[in-house]
Amino acid sequence: MPSLGTSFGRGGATTFQQDLQNADCIVIMGSNMAENHPVGFQWVMEARERGAKVLHVDPRFTRTSAMATKHVGIRAGSDIAFLGGIVNYVLQNDLYFREYVEHYTNAPVIIREEFADTEELDGLFSGWDPEQGEYDVQTWMYEGMEVHGSAGQREEGFNATKGEQSGHGGHGGGLQHGEPPAEDKTMQHPRCVFQLLKRHYQRYTPEFVAETCGCTVEEFVQVAETLAANSGRDRTSAFVYAVGWTQHTVGVQMIRCAAVVQQLLGNIGRPGGGIMALRGHASIQGSTDIPTLYNILPGYLPMPHTETYGDLEHYMQANTSPTGWWGHFRAYFVSLMKAYFGENASDENDWLFESLPRIDDDNSVYFTVEQMLKGKVKGYIIAGENPAVGHANGKAQRLGLSRLEWLVVRDVVEIESAAFWYDSPEVESGELKPEECATEIFFLPAASHTEKDGSFTNTQRLLQWHWQAVEPKEDCRSELWFYFHLGRLIKQKLEDSEDERDKLVKALRWEYPTHSGILEPSAEAVLQEVNGWEIESGKFLSGYPELKDDGSTLCGCWIYCGCFEDGINQTARKKPHWEQDSYVANQWAWAWPSNRHIIYNRASADPDGKPWSERKRYVWWDGEQGKWTGLDTPDFEETKEPHYVPPDGAAAEDAIAGGHPFIMQADGRSWLYVPQGLEDGPLPTHYEPHESPFDNPLYSQRANPRRQQNDLAEDPYNPVDGEPGTDVYPYVVTTYRLTEHHTAGGMTRSVNYLSELQPAMFCEVHPDLAAEVGLENGGWATIYTSRSAIEARVLVTDRMRPLRMKDGRTVHQVGLPYHWGKRGLVTGDSANDLAHMVLDPNVHIQEVKAFTCGIRPGRRPRGADLPRFVAELRERAHSRREQDPRVEPEEVRKTTPS
Amino acid sequence: MPLAKLLESWPALRQLREGDPLGLGKAVQSPRSQSLVPRIDEAEHVVQSVCPYCAVGCGQLVYVKDGEITQIEGDPASPISRGRLCPKGQASKSYAQSPIREYKVKYRRPYGTEWEELSLEDAMEMIAERIVKTRAETWEWETEDGNPANRTMAIGNLGGATLDNEENYLIKKLMTGLGIVQVENQARI
Amino acid sequence: MNPGPLTDLMEPTGVPAGWEAYGDERKPRMGFFTDTSVCIGCKACEVACKEWNLIPEDGRVWTGESYDNTSQLGANSWRHVAFVEQRKPLYEGASDENPLRWLMSSDVCKHCTHAACLDVCPTGSLFRTEFGTVVVQEDICNGCGYCVPACPFGVLDQRKIPSTLNVGHKPDLPPIGPLERGEKKDGRVWKCTLCYDRLKGGHEPACAKACPTKSIQFGPLDELRERADARLGKLAAEGWNAAQLYGRDPDDGVGGFGAFFLLLDDPEVYGLPPDPVVTTRDLPEMWTNMLAAAGALLGGITVLTLLGGRRK
Amino acid sequence: MTEIHPLSEPDGKPPGTTSWDRSITEAGTEMRSYYGRPVIKEPVWTWEIPAYFFTGGLAGASAVLSTAAKLTGHEKLSRTSLYVGAAADIVSPALLVSDLGRPERFHHMLRVVKVTSPMNIGSWVLLVSGGASSTAALLELLGWLKPVKLAAEAVSTLAGPPLATYTGVLVADTAVPVWHDARKELPWIFGASAAASAGAAACLFLRPREAGPARRLAIAGVLAEGALMQAMELRLGTVGDVYHKGTAGKLSWAAKGLSTAGAALLLKRGRRSRAATAVGGALVCAGELCLRWAVFKAGFQSARDPSYVVESQRRRVEEQGTKATTRPEQRPAPPSHGA
């Protein structure tokens, strides 16, 4: 999560679910917590019972809204307008936590003169390169910040941290010592971050919010007031978000904007505060920490890039920050290489850096689908995921799979992604014929969580071990078994290969003890490698400070270092909460980093190290013992005094002053303004969704200029405001999940007791919209976009409030759960078939939370009529690819230099 | 059963004997009801687990008898969930024992019109071959513009968000070793 | 017949008939307090109940009635979460242009103090347990169906599908539908047992244990009643709209519920009867009335026959 | 433009406007309900039950008629009724067993003696009266053991009236408004109906001159039952509407028609014509069968429509102040824990 990473230093929730009970106000936005995280929601209810205000700001009135003390309906995709409004309200009315902002954030820092804001450039920041369609971030830097060496190297240094990499702090902060060169503690300097913020958001007035989001001025003010009134020394407020924010072309910036609000109100690193990122899958946090992502190595170390890193030294220089904990980048990297390659990786051969594979700017899953459609991908392995239903533009996904040479699908049931070749909308419409599909498919049954040992990292960075209960039956196997034995077989085949190409795979350390008849590898042995040990003595490491850059330590993921401290599986600790001294329960499982639950918790104390207030004490400086202490493990060097001032030439963590809680950041502060690490700007700005019936009320720059589009015939876009044919797709559509089902449904449409609770695909519409198009509750509707058309049962409900927008326009929103597909006990059309594949530039996540559609009564056409029906509408809409390509404002700008 | 015993156990008589004249309680209790024992008390062993659905991370207790799961319910010891579960978590036994769960490898040959049987061993062998072959055929040392690449762009791996950290670790490690860079998971979605 | 024991059926004593008989085996009366003001409508209770009691699937019908596809309690649904969408504010006098609230409530067998189902059961299959709860004994029930119309809440029903249908790991079983030829329906009557077996083992019922927000609370009834009173007071102080306890008092038509509720609107809005009465309250009167009728029949026939005089 | 398929009906659900506007009930009355769903369950009983109401009544009344006839020297009538009653007594348990969800467990009915359960008491009564009357009939047929036969007749005579009337309590002792609210009349109606059917049934087998008492019984029974039905509906008020709606409506109309016609025929031509006696008897029997069926069906309709349940209870709440709910003002509010 680059948003949180760039703002605070680590790409994870800043707090933990149980701590929500201490909040005085909880803003749930971009999340439907009661429905999608029901058990975690108990802590919100605890807070409500203690008198906390629970505010739900969401396009829909959901089961969360029903529990909230106040629900405010806004137009899908207008979140930054709302949050920016709060920033402006807080600044204009001096409601911010002055002392916190001054000492703990980069508000006083002065930015380079060359920087120009969107307010000056009509929706673009300085450094926009029309040809490349991307930003040169030079001008965004801190004033007087020394640029890495020569021009040549500059490029290396500064495009380094992108996407998930920056998801873990601005690596190459570029600061030569802990303090930014130019600051104005009074925060009056016109180019200091604080003043930039003020100017950037000055137009986000309550009236602007109301007409952009579709709420009333009163509703907005009530939220802003309540939030501000419950923040400060003695009170704290928390933000809760989920994919309702991430799945936008400005997803990262939405979260960033919440981060700005929370910094101004002084709610980070404190009990009852923070930003609770709710992840959707058992170990989705874990799968970014120990990534199955193209652009990072375990612990958010960047993958080598084709263009950027010539050799190890460049790589090091680009990613090692002279100050803060990224100062030890080399130790993290070298220890990982030792874990991967053992003695084969040595100082002499640069730890095999030269042989590592290189990535391009975007090799993400949607890029891969593009490549599949173009026939460039031959083989694909899918383990526990269902792109045919769960990913945007299901048709493109399925057609992509149909153009592979071979495909491996591992799951518990036969999911749509395994059955697309004989049972899919494309087969139904004749666009795909089994006898013409060349893909060779292996379906391998997987083991369930009860049939294997292993650890999940939950939404609050907590690694929890689960023990095997029963043996998997017949051919069912764990992924651990599959990938271990696959690797073993491949290494066998390449044993005698002299080919340079096979050097790296042959160098892999691939020895893991196995047990039971099926030769299941030991998950604990793998976790031990993740934790790491001292190679000489074989002693397990107790934390990342022990990592060495000379190859004497081995560690598979530096941020997880300590999870096997003293040779004990810390993640398997199950001490009942009632036997623990505080609600933090830090003897239950193990949280990264170093078992810290609220991170940056030094900020729960004032600059002198005293709690901001008795009511909100959490971690503080104990003068007698000369160390930090409190309810949680201090997220700070234990004995570093509150008033420690780094000596000149201090490096790494020693360069961080005792008053700066954000120890991953080069300057030890949280970033209101992000000088580097983000693709689309240092400050969040309101842009319209890629597909929207409205124009940007602020700028002629309608949508995020940096958003990723593609040129696939399979992925046409609907016209937007001001274009011909907008009326064909006049409604805003948003997709979501229900309590009763899980994502693409593979894990729930296979269960009787869940299938019967939500047995059919349906759409939610307001009575007015129903009347407008003639929909009847309980009947059928056909929903269509340029991509496809699906049918759904109609649920007419007041919960889908129509919103009054600027100049009195009313916008209707259509709600679509996306759980259904053609397989399983209950089946139905897939909402994702309607979605496009336009992405956020930082994390390449698709925008399925806000796009446009048309809707009409009745069931959809069958067979070959379906694509015809979709095509006819598309033609009528002059949609892109059929007619002249749409001219985007930013494309206009390409010809007219700004 | 001798007549005497039969009469003995006849609820109509027990009504009078056991002070339950209306026959609404004790007297009409059947032997089965009297000797009822909850399933979870008959389990051979109980395993502490974690719910496989969302990321809240609820604790689960898995009860096992004769090598089969007999019940899954919340683990009260968990500070996060305090023994509670949502409908999905509560149904995870039914998921593990789903009526449509697959237990055998299925193989579909190119242009095939139906699934075929295949042994797990053969499947693994064939998959390993495919990877080695495709990789060899599509290996790039350099990009078009001559930058180092050391990779194949013809193979991808998708999945991870519901997998264990240990599994993800092996995936990334193996794929990096093989020069496969297109490794992705649900976190992207 | 002895009217003695009958009359105490009519007394709102608050003591469940048949419970004292247990003597020292008698346990404190256990029950549910379902506080709908914190119900998030997740349906964990429905699933937990089915998982524990191995209840067959109830069919896959999408109703278009908000998020409720279970529709009612029955032989195959012992917990049912109702969803009510209203154009009313959650708090009294809340200034909202278009007020909206979404009430959710998990319904269950009420385990009445005076339970009609228990009274009318001709086989003694239904019985009062040592915990004061009302349970159907599946090894006794012969499916006479008398309890079905007797229950003033429509809780019980006969299982018209095979017991095993779609339970657990049975790939060969078809989804719910009309009975296959030769397929034998279960035929017995089923309802919530308040997890009698779990209680015997000292565990709390499955639904209460699962409930994420403790909307379903389990415990000794007296304790629950105190808790409920406090809760009602708090909600009143916070200005919750139309908050009320349902089935809390021993002096209602069924002598108080063993499983009672805190509702946010009148019972009928949730599909519950506003003034349920145990039908057997009037039974003594009915018996006497019947005896009179029987006498009249006897007399009437005799008289009418005599009218004709004796024949030679 | 490609045609979209026409709107198809969802499974059995009328497409409403919005989900919560759907509380208009079958009765057509405006009231608050949960999507118009029933509050109580319909009975699960099938055709055997109303059939048994008829045979049980027939058996009970016939036993009495048989004895009364014997005492007044109507030997032929006595024997006929004895056989008719015994026959009905033998059919009855068969009907009951076949209605059970688990017929093989019929004997569980005799596990207990429950005064709170009309069905349980009924089972015992049926056991006694059935046993007695069939014994009596058998001995009569064989001409053996006269004293035993007499004893058996005595027993069945005493068990007869309860058997004929308890079924009224059986249905009244439920939560079904149209049944429970009619608890005062139902045993009487069933008794009268039983008498009528016993008389009418005897008429089928007798020559006019032997059938006098039976004929009188049939006519009197029909008259009595007609009056009682009127009284019941009057007291039921709106709850009684179901007797004029749907199947129950048709059946009660048929019941009236058939039994009145039968009675009239018996009255006018019964003294002379054998045929008239037989036809009249048949008509009355048919009428009584319809009557039982009407009452049976009325229960289903009454249970199906929530308005009957809720409205009658709401009325009670208004009139008698009884209810199952407690509002805050009715309890001392404890110190609030802050809003």
Side-chain angles (χ1 to χ4, degrees), chain B residues 108-184:
Chain B
R108 189 258 176 178
R109 66 180 68 245
Y111 308 108
T113 52
E114 57 204 26
W115 289 112
E116 301 171 32
E117 288 182 1
L118 188 68
S119 77
L120 182 58
E121 292 61 35
D122 295 352
M124 293 299 289
E125 192 55 37
M126 290 164 80
I127 295 166
E129 267 168 27
R130 303 291 182 279
I131 292 175
V132 170
K133 178 161 168 296
T134 307
R135 179 170 169 274
E137 287 169 356
T138 60
W139 187 263
E140 15 178 297
W141 285 113
E142 290 186 337
T143 59
E144 291 83 350
D145 33 24
N147 294 311
N150 314 339
R151 66 185 184 188
T152 170
M153 292 302 287
I155 305 177
N157 186 97
L158 176 66
T162 337
L163 308 186
D164 297 336
N165 292 319
E166 297 71 22
E167 298 175 324
N168 286 331
Y169 181 76
L170 287 198
I171 294 175
K172 187 68 178 183
K173 185 176 179 179
L174 178 61
M175 295 302 156
T176 308
L178 288 167
I180 295 170
V181 293
Q182 295 172 100
V183 178
E184 285 281 284

Side-chain angles (χ1 to χ4, degrees), chain A residues 693-859:
Chain A
F694 294 91
D695 216 335
N696 190 332
L698 291 173
Y699 312 116
S700 70
Q701 177 59 44
R702 191 186 61 85
N704 183 352
R706 189 63 182 81
R707 71 186 185 282
Q708 276 180 283
Q709 307 184 49
N710 63 64
D711 55 4
L712 286 172
E714 291 84 354
D715 197 42
Y717 306 141
N718 298 345
V720 295
D721 182 77
E723 294 180 329
T726 322
D727 56 324
V728 178
Y729 312 104
Y731 306 113
V732 172
V733 55
T734 185
T735 66
Y736 47 87
R737 282 156 55 165
L738 304 165
T739 309
E740 298 85 345
H741 282 297
H742 191 57
T743 60
M747 292 175 77
T748 52
R749 282 185 287 114
S750 51
V751 179
N752 306 99
Y753 294 154
L754 295 172
S755 298
E756 66 179 329
L757 294 179
Q758 290 291 3
M761 170 66 185
F762 61 93
C763 62
E764 298 188 272
V765 296
H766 187 269
D768 295 355
L769 175 57
E772 192 173 302
V773 283
L775 299 170
E776 280 178 306
N777 188 70
W780 288 92
T782 295
I783 306 105
Y784 47 90
T785 67
S786 328
R787 275 75 61 185
S788 185
I790 65 165
E791 67 184 15
R793 302 294 291 280
V794 180
L795 189 64
V796 179
T797 168
D798 272 357
R799 294 180 291 101
M800 292 300 297
R801 289 174 163 159
L803 301 170
R804 290 219 144 282
M805 311 297 301
K806 61 171 188 266
D807 40 88
R809 274 173 72 185
T810 301
V811 59
H812 279 296
Q813 308 193 88
V814 176
L816 295 176
Y818 72 87
H819 301 295
W820 285 271
K822 290 183 89 31
R823 311 294 299 168
L825 298 171
V826 287
T827 59
D829 286 357
S830 308
N832 276 322
D833 286 11
L834 299 175
H836 57 66
M837 302 194 292
V838 179
L839 314 175
D840 174 286
N842 299 290
V843 289
H844 321 294
I845 291 179
Q846 76 289 351
E847 186 162 64
V848 288
K849 285 292 174 275
F851 52 103
T852 60
C853 76
I855 184 169
R856 56 178 64 178
R859 308 193 63 161

Side-chain angles (χ1 to χ4, degrees), chain C:
Chain C
M1 94 197 56
N2 167 13
L6 282 183
T7 46
D8 65 19
L9 278 177
M10 298 157 70
E11 295 305 319
T13 53
V15 182
W19 186 37
E20 306 90 328
Y22 286 93
D24 24 351
E25 292 168 38
R26 186 169 117 175
K27 305 275 191 315
R29 186 177 177 192
M30 301 307 244
F32 288 131
F33 165 43
T34 306
D35 176 358
T36 69
S37 69
V38 293
C39 176
I40 58 174
C42 72
K43 306 179 191 172
C45 47
E46 291 191 26
V47 177
C49 175
K50 293 195 168 211
E51 283 282 348
W52 176 256
N53 295 296
L54 303 174
I55 302 171
E57 185 189 337
D58 210 0
R60 302 164 195 162
V61 182
W62 186 82
T63 63
E65 292 165 359
S66 195
Y67 279 8
D68 179 7
N69 296 305
T70 306
S71 299
Q72 58 187 343
L73 291 174
N76 309 321
S77 298
W78 301 353
R79 272 271 176 194
H80 162 232
V81 182
F83 290 79
V84 180
E85 303 182 0
Q86 291 182 322
R87 293 164 184 173
K88 287 183 185 173
L90 190 57
Y91 300 101
E92 279 153 0
S95 61
D96 203 337
E97 284 177 4
N98 42 8
L100 185 58
R101 71 172 178 175
W102 198 5
L103 306 181
M104 297 148 201
S105 165
S106 179
D107 193 11
V108 69
C109 169
K110 319 298 179 292
H111 294 275
C112 306
T113 304
H114 304 311
C117 58
L118 169 55
D119 289 340
V120 303
C121 176
T123 62
S125 166
L126 272 148
F127 83 116
R128 176 84 55 185
T129 71
E130 60 268 43
F131 303 99
T133 58
V134 180
V135 172
V136 187
Q137 306 183 94
E138 55 188 80
D139 54 332
I140 303 299
C141 177
N142 65 6
C144 77
Y146 198 3
C147 51
V148 174
C151 173
F153 305 94
V155 168
L156 303 92
D157 204 356
Q158 194 178 40
R159 184 171 290 167
K160 301 180 183 66
I161 53 169
S163 246
T164 51
L165 195 55
N166 291 345
V167 175
H169 177 200
K170 293 196 168 52
D172 50 323
L173 287 168
I176 296 285
L179 284 187
E180 307 287 315
R181 279 186 103 266
E183 206 175 9
K184 189 142 180 13
K185 72 169 184 175
D186 178 86
R188 289 170 293 177
V189 159
W190 299 84
K191 76 167 191 74
C192 162
T193 68
L194 216 132
C195 285
Y196 184 45
D197 51 353
R198 289 179 68 96
L199 261 55
K200 272 179 172 284
H203 311 282
E204 74 182 306
C207 56
K209 181 176 182 187
C211 183
T213 57
K214 283 288 161 273
S215 166
I216 300 173
Q217 298 174 31
F218 165 78
L221 195 52
D222 333 355
E223 210 178 295
L224 291 177
R225 284 171 172 168
E226 282 170 30
R227 250 189 265 171
D229 293 342
R231 181 66 185 164
L232 184 62
K234 181 172 191 281
L235 294 193
E238 292 176 17
W240 286 62
N241 212 343
Q244 53 194 286
L245 295 178
Y246 178 57
R248 178 242 178 270
D249 285 339
D251 51 17
D252 65 25
V254 297
F257 306 176
F260 65 101
F261 303 78
L262 188 153
L263 303 177
L264 296 177
D265 205 331
D266 293 335
E268 53 265 48
V269 170
Y270 298 88
L272 298 163
D275 184 25
V277 169
V278 56
T279 179
T280 41
R281 188 184 66 183
D282 306 312
L283 190 52
E285 168 206 326
M286 289 188 244
W287 279 136
T288 339
N289 184 28
M290 182 211 90
L291 289 177
L297 181 59
L298 186 61
I301 296 178
T302 324
V303 171
L304 283 166
T305 330
L306 284 172
L307 283 181
R310 285 190 65 89
R311 301 181 70 238
K312 338 258 136 355

Side-chain angles (χ1 to χ4, degrees), chain A residues 93-130:
Chain A
N93 301 292
D94 289 337
L95 299 172
Y96 58 96
F97 190 168
R98 168 106 203 171
E99 206 173 343
Y100 186 104
V101 171
E102 185 186 316
H103 291 89
Y104 296 163
T105 76
N106 67 353
V109 179
I110 295 166
I111 303 304
R112 300 174 79 181
E113 199 154 12
E114 300 80 355
F115 172 74
D117 184 71
T118 46
E119 290 294 275
E120 299 157 64
L121 302 181
D122 187 26
L124 290 170
F125 291 98
S126 51
W128 177 252
D129 174 346

